[in-house]
Amino acid sequence: DLVICDKLDRWSRDPAFAHTSIRDILRRGASFYAVSDACDPATSDGDTMLNVRVMIAREEHKRIRERLVGTRNALRAAGYYSDASPPVGYRRPATGDRYTRHVLEVDPEGAERVRRMFALAIAGHSLSSIAEELGVDRDIARRALCNRHYLGEVRDGRGGWHRGRHAPLVSPETWAAARTAVEAR
């Protein structure tokens, strides 16, 4: 009968979702109340408050995103890995400060699988047979053989790549030969 949340920006920072979901709650006969904002959108003052608070939340979301993207691009520019999960063959350090956590460590077992994948590609194996031999999905094998992180590179934040702070798993010659072999099939 009643949906209560602390603040509207905790409900959503997406104006379209906030309006649609809260209107849907009201349409179904339930009530919605944001405690800290003292907002009851069933009233005309509350509806106005809803609109204002949702727009403020959206602006805050934009600021958070700009800071996040800016920090990620600064890390990339300095050669740090700032994507979510490390590629197979690497892992994040278990300990370290906010910078060393972004220098990938080689995972010996995973690195051996990656090197085997490149060797099989150069030897002329199909993506399907490589995937089957290594127990991975075909698309994972295809993406791995295109992944420049294995050259020790990171994205530069502008659509390109440059030298990263982590060790490469394959040489540029091996990477190029595997790419040529995959593209030739």
Side-chain angles (χ1 to χ4, degrees), residues 78-115:
Y80 293 103
Y81 181 82
S82 65
D83 294 338
S85 299
V88 174
Y90 291 107
R91 63 179 173 229
R92 289 194 186 275
T95 60
D97 64 23
R98 64 186 221 150
Y99 294 105
T100 56
R101 287 181 295 147
H102 295 285
V103 178
L104 298 177
E105 294 178 344
V106 174
D107 171 27
E109 185 179 308
E112 200 49 48
R113 289 178 72 201
V114 169
R115 290 183 186 111

Side-chain angles (χ1 to χ4, degrees), residues 67-147:
R67 283 193 305 266
L68 178 66
V69 169
T71 300
R72 186 173 290 146
N73 285 341
L75 285 168
R76 286 176 176 160
Y80 293 103
Y81 181 82
S82 65
D83 294 338
S85 299
V88 174
Y90 291 107
R91 63 179 173 229
R92 289 194 186 275
T95 60
D97 64 23
R98 64 186 221 150
Y99 294 105
T100 56
R101 287 181 295 147
H102 295 285
V103 178
L104 298 177
E105 294 178 344
V106 174
D107 171 27
E109 185 179 308
E112 200 49 48
R113 289 178 72 201
V114 169
R115 290 183 186 111
R116 177 82 178 132
M117 191 179 305
F118 277 85
L120 290 169
I122 292 169
H125 290 261
S126 69
L127 286 174
S128 297
S129 67
I130 294 170
E132 186 177 321
E133 181 165 330
L134 296 173
V136 297
D137 185 72
R138 183 181 184 279
D139 286 335
I140 290 173
R142 181 185 52 76
R143 283 193 304 269
L145 291 167
C146 299
N147 193 335

